[in-house]
């Protein structure tokens, strides 16, 4: 074969698909970190640094294509009608070069994860490399084998794909399909989940189910690939059905799992809304009670003043003074016990204070939020109802009722409201340590039903992030403190 024959044999559009494969690999890198944040609960942030290393991968692809193009033009100009020497087609150097490129790509994946995640960066980088290898191998086996069986000629299609000198059409189809799948996944992960902060935590049970399903599919593909002669696969209809079902099931089941998890997320939101509605109803009931008490006091005020005037006329000053103090007590009783400066927070504190009283928990409040928090009522409920519930739950574990206490202090600076919520604690060896409750996005809970609990602290963080707020916690020997900072 001459150089001109080699380069005219579909070489030029192969360069395009080669570059597209590098772009697809860069998108896969981004998908891996998105999945880790949105589904696995890893604490990380997608920033400009995250895109640097996938972009370098695309640049490497462009350089490779550019080098191949210049080389082709050079050989066509000077050796176009010359036979290609055997040493030129030797694949030894090519294999070495490809392996070097793979190592570089693995390093790019490692650093993509390293700059994205906040904790355990080295471990996350190594996990991401494993994920990249697994995903690319899985997609390659899945797509190529599906095309092979749908086409009805497995031996020819699979042979062409694995042969360096074979027809490039199957490779093109694989690259295009993989590119479309990865782009679609990226758009869903970014616009539907990450951008809207809709993180769906996948527990280890679901992760194990997913891994087992992937392993089953890989086993099926490899078994059918190498033992196809022993199976009745000569009927084109059977081959077509198998190819389509393999593709649909391998992609469809993970989607189904995502839908089931999304339903659980909907249940979580329902719980939040129920808490908000309960707070609103309690606020309405408190308002009704205060209005009834006010009307009753207003109805009796004339009689009370007349009686007070009669006491003064009869020079019963001591009796009049005692009666005035009694009236003042009634007025104080009609006034809200806790006034924070934010209507929704007043409602939440009042409702939770009643629960604390029932559980023999001493509650002290100090401070004022002038002008309110400036947040949506549902977010105020989400943050402070969860925080107070956690504090009450911790106090309930203390057997000595005299040691149960909760303090809520509001301080303000020029830029922030700083609300500190402290409560007494006891170490429960069977449960999780309270100082871990606010670590990262991983769900941590001491409740037995871990599927329905453990979302509270995550929801608090997400609600605060809407307003550029911050959440910190610290544990001492006998107290746990949550600091909630909200911009004014």
């Amino acid at each position: 074969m001459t150089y001109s024959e080699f380069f005219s044999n579909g070489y030029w559009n192969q360069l395009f698909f080669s570059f597209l494969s590098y772009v697809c690999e860069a998108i896969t890198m981004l998908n891996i970190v998105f999945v880790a944040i949105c589904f696995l609960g890893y604490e990380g942030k997608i920033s400009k640094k995250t895109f640097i290393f996938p972009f370098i991968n695309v640049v490497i692809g462009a350089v490779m294509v550019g080098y191949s193009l210049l080389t082709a033009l050079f050989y066509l100009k000077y050796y176009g009608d010359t036979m290609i020497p055997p040493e030129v087609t030797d694949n030894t150097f090519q294999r070495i070069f490809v392996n070097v490129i793979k190592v570089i790509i693995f390093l790019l994946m490692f650093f993509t994860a390293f700059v994205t995640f906040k904790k355990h960066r080295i471990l996350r980088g190594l996990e991401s490399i494993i994920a990249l290898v697994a995903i690319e191998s899985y997609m390659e086996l899945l797509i190529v084998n599906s095309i092979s069986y749908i086409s009805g000629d497995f031996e020819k299609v699979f042979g062409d794909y694995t042969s360096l000198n074979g027809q490039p059409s199957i490779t093109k189809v694989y690259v295009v399909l993989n590119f479309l799948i990865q782009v679609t996944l990226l758009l869903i992960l970014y616009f539907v989940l990450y951008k809207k902060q809709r993180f769906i935590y996948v527990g280890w049970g679901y992760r194990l189910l997913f891994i087992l399903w992937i392993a089953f599919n890989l086993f099926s593909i490899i078994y059918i690939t190498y033992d196809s002669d022993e199976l009745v696969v000569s009927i084109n209809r059977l081959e077509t059905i198998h190819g389509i079902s393999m593709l649909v099931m391998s992609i469809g089941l993970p989607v189904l799992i995502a839908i089931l998890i999304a339903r659980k997320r909907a249940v979580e939101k329902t719980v939040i809304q129920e808490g908000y509605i309960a707070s609103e109803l309690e606020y309405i009931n408190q308002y009704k009670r205060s209005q009834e008490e006010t009307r009753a006091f207003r109805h009796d005020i004339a009689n009370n003043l007349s009686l007070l005037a009669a006491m003064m006329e009869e020079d019963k000053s001591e009796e009049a003074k005692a009666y005035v103090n009694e009236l003042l007590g009634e007025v104080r009783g009609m006034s809200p016990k806790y006034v924070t400066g934010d209507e929704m927070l007043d409602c939440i504190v009042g409702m939770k204070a009643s629960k604390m009283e029932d559980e023999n928990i001493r509650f002290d409040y100090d401070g004022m939020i002038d002008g309110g928090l400036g947040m949506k009522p549902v977010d105020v409920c989400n943050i402070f109802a969860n925080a107070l519930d956690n504090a009450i739950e911790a106090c309930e574990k203390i057997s000595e009722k005299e040691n149960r206490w909760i303090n809520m202090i509001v301080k303000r600076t020029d830029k922030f409201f700083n609300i500190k919520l402290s409560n007494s604690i006891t170490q429960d060896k069977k449960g999780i340590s309270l100082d871990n409750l606010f670590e990262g996005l991983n769900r941590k809970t001491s409740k037995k039903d871990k599927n329905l609990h453990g979302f509270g602290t995550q929801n608090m963080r997400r609600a605060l992030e809407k307003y550029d707020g911050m959440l910190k916690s610290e544990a001492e020997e006998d107290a746990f403190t949550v600091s909630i900072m909200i911009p004014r």
Side-chain angles (χ1 to χ4, degrees):
M1 179 184 293
T2 64
Y3 282 104
S4 58
E5 291 174 339
F6 175 79
F7 290 120
S8 64
N9 190 23
Y11 180 77
W12 303 107
N13 61 13
Q14 286 186 49
L15 294 179
F16 169 76
F17 285 98
S18 176
F19 174 72
L20 187 62
S21 66
Y22 280 93
V23 176
C24 183
E25 201 161 33
I27 297 174
T28 304
M29 292 180 181
L30 294 174
N31 285 335
I32 288 173
V33 294
F34 272 116
V35 168
I37 293 174
C38 297
F39 288 92
L40 303 184
Y42 291 171
E43 186 176 2
K45 183 178 181 181
I46 304 297
S47 62
K48 293 180 180 178
K49 294 180 180 179
T50 304
F51 292 89
I52 292 176
F53 299 101
F55 178 74
I56 292 175
N57 189 68
V58 175
V59 171
I60 290 175
V63 171
M64 295 290 293
V65 170
Y67 173 77
S68 299
L69 182 61
L70 293 176
T71 303
L73 294 174
F74 174 81
Y75 276 98
L76 281 176
K77 182 176 181 179
Y78 294 101
Y79 304 102
D81 296 327
T82 305
M83 297 294 294
I84 301 177
E87 59 270 15
V88 175
T89 58
D90 182 19
N91 295 323
T92 303
F93 175 76
Q94 182 179 356
R95 291 194 185 96
I96 296 174
F97 186 74
V98 168
N99 290 329
V100 171
I101 293 298
K102 286 183 178 180
V103 172
I104 294 175
I105 291 173
F106 291 160
L107 290 174
L108 293 176
M109 181 71 260
F110 177 87
F111 286 113
T112 300
F114 188 85
V115 300
T116 300
F117 300 115
K118 296 181 179 180
K119 296 182 179 180
H120 311 296
R121 294 183 173 183
I122 295 178
L123 178 61
R124 299 292 175 253
L126 296 176
E127 290 175 345
S128 299
I129 292 174
I130 295 173
L132 180 64
V133 174
I135 290 172
E136 290 185 338
S137 301
Y138 179 67
M139 294 303 296
E140 183 177 13
L141 282 170
L142 173 65
I143 294 175
V144 173
N145 281 274
S146 297
I147 295 172
S148 300
Y149 284 103
I150 292 173
S151 69
D153 193 347
F154 172 82
E155 184 176 356
K156 180 180 183 303
V157 173
F158 195 78
D160 288 343
Y161 181 77
T162 56
S163 175
L164 293 175
N165 297 320
Q167 297 296 325
S169 58
I170 301 303
T171 304
K172 295 175 184 177
V173 174
Y174 160 70
V175 172
V176 171
L177 283 178
N178 192 27
F179 176 78
L180 292 176
I181 291 172
Q182 296 299 333
V183 169
T184 303
L185 181 60
L186 179 65
L187 294 176
I188 293 174
L189 288 171
Y190 179 74
F191 289 104
V192 179
L193 297 176
Y194 183 81
K195 190 174 182 180
K196 296 182 179 181
Q197 297 290 293
R198 294 175 178 173
F199 299 149
I200 303 171
Y201 179 81
V202 180
W204 279 105
Y206 285 105
R207 296 186 201 181
L208 182 60
L209 178 63
F210 181 78
I211 292 172
L212 291 176
W213 180 252
I214 296 297
F216 170 76
N217 277 279
L218 289 176
F219 174 78
S220 300
I221 292 171
I222 295 173
Y223 175 76
I224 295 171
T225 298
Y226 291 101
D227 294 331
S228 59
D229 293 337
E230 300 178 10
L231 301 176
V232 185
V233 292
S234 58
I235 304 175
N236 291 340
R237 183 178 300 175
L238 180 61
E239 294 171 342
T240 302
I241 292 174
H242 178 78
I244 295 174
S245 63
M246 185 167 57
L247 181 63
V248 172
M249 291 174 64
S250 299
I251 298 177
L253 185 64
V255 172
L256 178 61
I257 292 175
I259 292 173
L260 293 174
I261 298 171
R263 291 181 63 183
K264 183 181 291 186
R265 170 71 174 171
V267 172
E268 172 198 347
K269 286 188 174 182
T270 302
V271 172
I272 296 172
Q273 293 293 337
E274 287 177 352
Y276 170 64
I277 293 172
S279 299
E280 286 285 357
L281 290 175
E282 179 64 22
Y283 179 78
I284 292 171
N285 290 332
Q286 289 179 359
Y287 178 76
K288 286 182 177 179
R289 287 195 296 269
S290 65
Q291 288 294 98
E292 290 173 359
E293 292 173 354
T294 301
R295 283 196 295 267
F297 182 81
R298 188 183 303 163
H299 179 269
D300 296 335
I301 189 65
N303 294 331
N304 292 328
L305 291 177
S306 297
L307 181 59
L308 184 62
M311 289 181 182
M312 297 298 294
E313 288 178 359
E314 295 176 5
D315 200 21
K316 297 180 179 179
S317 57
E318 293 298 326
E319 290 86 343
K321 186 183 297 184
Y323 193 67
V324 168
N325 290 332
E326 184 179 345
L327 291 178
L328 288 175
E330 292 182 8
V331 173
R332 294 190 187 97
M334 290 186 293
S335 302
K337 189 173 182 180
Y338 302 104
V339 180
T340 65
D342 184 274
E343 289 185 359
M344 191 64 205
L345 188 56
D346 286 346
C347 170
I348 295 168
V349 170
M351 182 174 63
K352 301 302 179 183
S354 298
K355 185 176 180 180
M356 294 178 206
E357 186 175 349
D358 294 338
E359 297 296 333
N360 294 309
I361 300 173
R362 187 177 72 256
F363 178 62
D364 295 314
Y365 177 85
D366 184 41
M368 177 63 66
I369 302 173
D370 295 337
L373 292 170
M375 302 170 65
K376 292 181 179 179
V378 67
D379 291 325
V380 176
C381 179
N382 201 354
I383 296 168
F384 292 98
N386 275 312
L388 286 167
D389 281 340
N390 287 338
I392 292 171
E393 182 183 349
C395 289
E396 288 174 342
K397 294 180 180 180
I398 301 175
S399 56
E400 301 84 3
K401 294 184 178 181
E402 64 273 8
N403 293 332
R404 297 178 177 181
W405 57 266
I406 296 175
N407 293 334
M408 190 171 182
I409 301 175
V410 177
K411 294 183 179 179
R412 59 179 181 175
T413 64
D414 293 338
K415 297 183 178 180
F416 286 93
F417 286 116
N418 187 358
I419 303 169
K420 287 190 175 183
L421 183 66
S422 302
N423 60 269
S424 56
I425 60 173
T426 181
Q427 293 297 328
D428 185 356
K429 295 181 180 180
K430 295 182 180 180
I432 61 171
S433 176
L434 284 175
D435 59 349
N436 289 329
L437 278 173
F438 295 87
E439 288 294 325
L441 292 173
N442 289 313
R443 289 193 308 120
K444 299 185 178 182
T445 177
S446 58
K447 298 181 178 67
K448 293 182 179 180
D449 190 353
K450 298 182 184 298
N451 290 325
L452 296 178
H453 295 286
F455 296 102
T457 53
Q458 292 186 51
N459 294 330
M460 291 173 64
R461 280 190 179 278
R462 293 173 195 157
L464 282 168
E465 287 174 357
K466 296 179 184 178
Y467 306 92
D468 296 324
M470 291 179 286
L471 182 67
K472 294 182 179 180
S473 63
E474 56 182 350
E476 298 175 353
E477 291 184 1
D478 59 348
F480 179 72
T481 301
V482 177
S483 297
I484 301 171
M485 287 170 280
I486 302 173
R488 297 183 59 184

